[in-house]
Amino acid sequence: MTVTAVFSRCTWPLLCAIALVAGASTTARAEAGRAAIDERIERLLSQMTVAEKIGQLAQVNADEGKISGKLRAAIKAGEVGSVLNAVDVATVNELQRLAVKESRLGIPLLMGRDVIHGFKTVLPIPLGQAAAWNPDLVQEGARMAALEAAASGVNWTFAPMIDVARDPRWGRIAESFGEDPYLASVLGVASIRGFQGDDLSRPGAIAACAKHFVGYGASEGGRDYGFVGIPDVELRNVHMPPFKAAVDAGVATFMAAFSDVNGVPASGNRFLMRTVLRDEWHFPGLVVSDWESIIDMTVHGFAASKKDAAFEALSAGIDMEMASTAYRDYLAKLLAEKRIDQDTLDTAVRNVLRVKFRLGLFERTVTDPSAYPAVASAANFALARRLTTQSLVLLQNRNEVLPLARASLRSLAVIGPMADDDYEQLGTWIFDGDPALSRTPLHAIREMAGPHVAVRHVRAMETTRTRTTAAFADAVAAASSADAAVLFLGEESILSGEAHSRANIDLPGNQMDLVRAVKSAGKPVIVVILAGRPLTIEPILAAADAVVYAWHPGVMAGPAIADILFGVESPSGKLPVTFPRMVGQVPIYYAHRNTGKPPIPSAFVHIDDIKVRTPQTGMKNKSQYLDAGYEPLYPFGYGLSYTRFAYSDIEVVPARARVGVPVTVRAVVKNVGKVEADEVAQLYVQDVVGSITRPVRELKGFQRVHLKPGESREVSFQLSADDLAFYGRDMQRATEPGAFHAWIGGSSTAELRADFELTAN
Ligand code: NOJ
């Protein structure tokens, strides 16, 4: 394929460029490798019975650490293609031995596991990783997780989750890279590169899985598994780009969403799985269902029976069935009845075998942990600390209460249910994590503060949901006798993640009252929030001098947070998702469309200030809430630092160009404060008039720069026609000529703007 051909199919050309450069030298070798694999697949396929073919499409759940007689027999009979959730290396080796040595054709197993944010070394939840806006570290983190998992025999992770998530009620927002298609694409590709490396057959590389295709992040009402009603054009412009980028990056597998997408569950959705994924994007890999999502189609009311569900799923192009057994139970019958043809079955089997060959499983079925780097090593912890430190977002810092001055500090009160909880700091999906490895904030603060600082700890609440205030007096007493109080609040791991949506996203329990009580002690109050989602924290802003948002930070929460509190590092995290003031504003995201009557400050009257008998049209008709206004609490891309950055000299070169000629947008960013720090410079673009309306701004690039006080740097972004393309009224992807605005700055509300124009010729 020519470079131009690749680019013409590419959603994010920059990402494709990286893929191309990395791949160029190996293209010929890769093609030869592909041909050899195809030959091996056909040879194997020609020897397989129908039962063995159907067996390859079955993914069976293992009871952790145990191999039941049933599983043993099924593997020996060639009736299992993949096992999920076996991670004890002896068990994994035995399972592979059964498949390779005791089944007729000796086909090894795909060993799947949810390695979502680390394996033994638990990294921040993906939403936290996204807040670091650092693809290199995300890639390193995935690489580290792959090596740790591979040492246990895992060869397939169900990650990254690249669903665009714009609803903080949805528990799985924790597993996402946030609300923006571009950010999710860049970080998704980084994870895939980390998991898979350059060559999937190298030891330590594991197959990644782009999930959940597609629209799952838009579950109605933020309720997990909810209906997804999104026009196709919106699916293509917002929800599909990260998945397209994953295909371009060579992701080995895809997972279907649980969702009913516009009336057709993803697991039976031929438009998504065949028309888009296979026919348009030419995805050559394996598509797995989600957990029992094939038989769930009977519950959706889309299939009358499990047999019909199997028919719909295979016809749609779902190659492997996770956990349920509709394929095992009905595919042979469907084949005999000629509802399914041989070719459809064979194609699915080929897709499974291709991943096995790409992974080199036929050559290497025994896992020897001693051949891998140590898990949970000092090096892995150091990486986790770097990533966590960069993921912390400083939301408020009144009177520069942070960083705490270690030299003059004599005493500190450390308060709250999340200060010393080695489990809850890890977040959702930590099957293989070990709380005993966690470094908690309390421990790290004690260590970093040193012996001359008296650190007093009061948990004050049993959990974040505790309603009694019995221990508040101790917390207030501790704060009164300290130089400052640091509260660790938030929500436990179990309050986010799959099937853990919340309708009220306030700080649970009596945490609000705890902040107010501690404030009454009259000392500086610093609040650190550990949570799996944006919470509606506006009420604490008056009582807290500083607020740090830590997400669920993982194993190195303590040292990373202490680094920020004591100013060893300046905060540099930026929000990957908009923070609402009230849950009723949801969905609220920066890349929204304008309305015909957008809000303006002069037309806003708060509900409390509306005069009696104001005539209906007396307040001007604007798109806003009377009680919440029209702005979020914090915008996408926002995050403070211990220094300040000034942006200037923005220009677009050329400012007028033909569609197809790349333009460069650049600006100068200067550290005008007193400490050296990282800044994430962000580029946003608006296509002013389109054949369909366009978002008011869209992220098109970002760059993390490190600047010393007084230092400045030019940040520069090249935009190709493809970067500005979108699916328009005719459902064709194109770049439309016309006027564009470009902003560069430190958040999605950046004001420094330059304009450019693209002409048709
Ligand atoms: C269901 C989840 O939706 C999916 O993301 C996960 O990978 C599978 N279960 C396997 O645990």
Side-chain angles (χ1 to χ4, degrees), residues 413 415 456-460 469-481 514 518:
I415 298 166
R456 191 161 157 217
H457 172 226
V458 181
R459 189 173 176 113
T469 55
F472 283 17
D474 284 353
V476 176
S480 305
S481 60
L514 178 61
V518 171

Side-chain angles (χ1 to χ4, degrees), residues 375-387:
V375 300
S377 63
N380 291 0
F381 276 40
L383 170 60
R385 181 179 189 157
R386 275 207 308 285
L387 183 49

Side-chain angles (χ1 to χ4, degrees), residues 411-429:
S411 57
L412 198 61
V414 175
I415 298 166
M418 301 293 276
D420 192 30
D421 196 317
D422 56 10
Y423 179 83
E424 302 300 351
Q425 69 185 43
L426 297 180
T428 185
W429 289 117

Side-chain angles (χ1 to χ4, degrees), residues 84 114 158 172 211-212 255 258 290-291 322 429 498:
L84 78 160
D114 289 288
F158 305 122
R172 300 197 80 167
K211 75 183 189 186
H212 308 83
M255 188 186 291
F258 279 124
D290 204 341
W291 187 276
M322 183 188 287
W429 289 117
E498 185 178 348

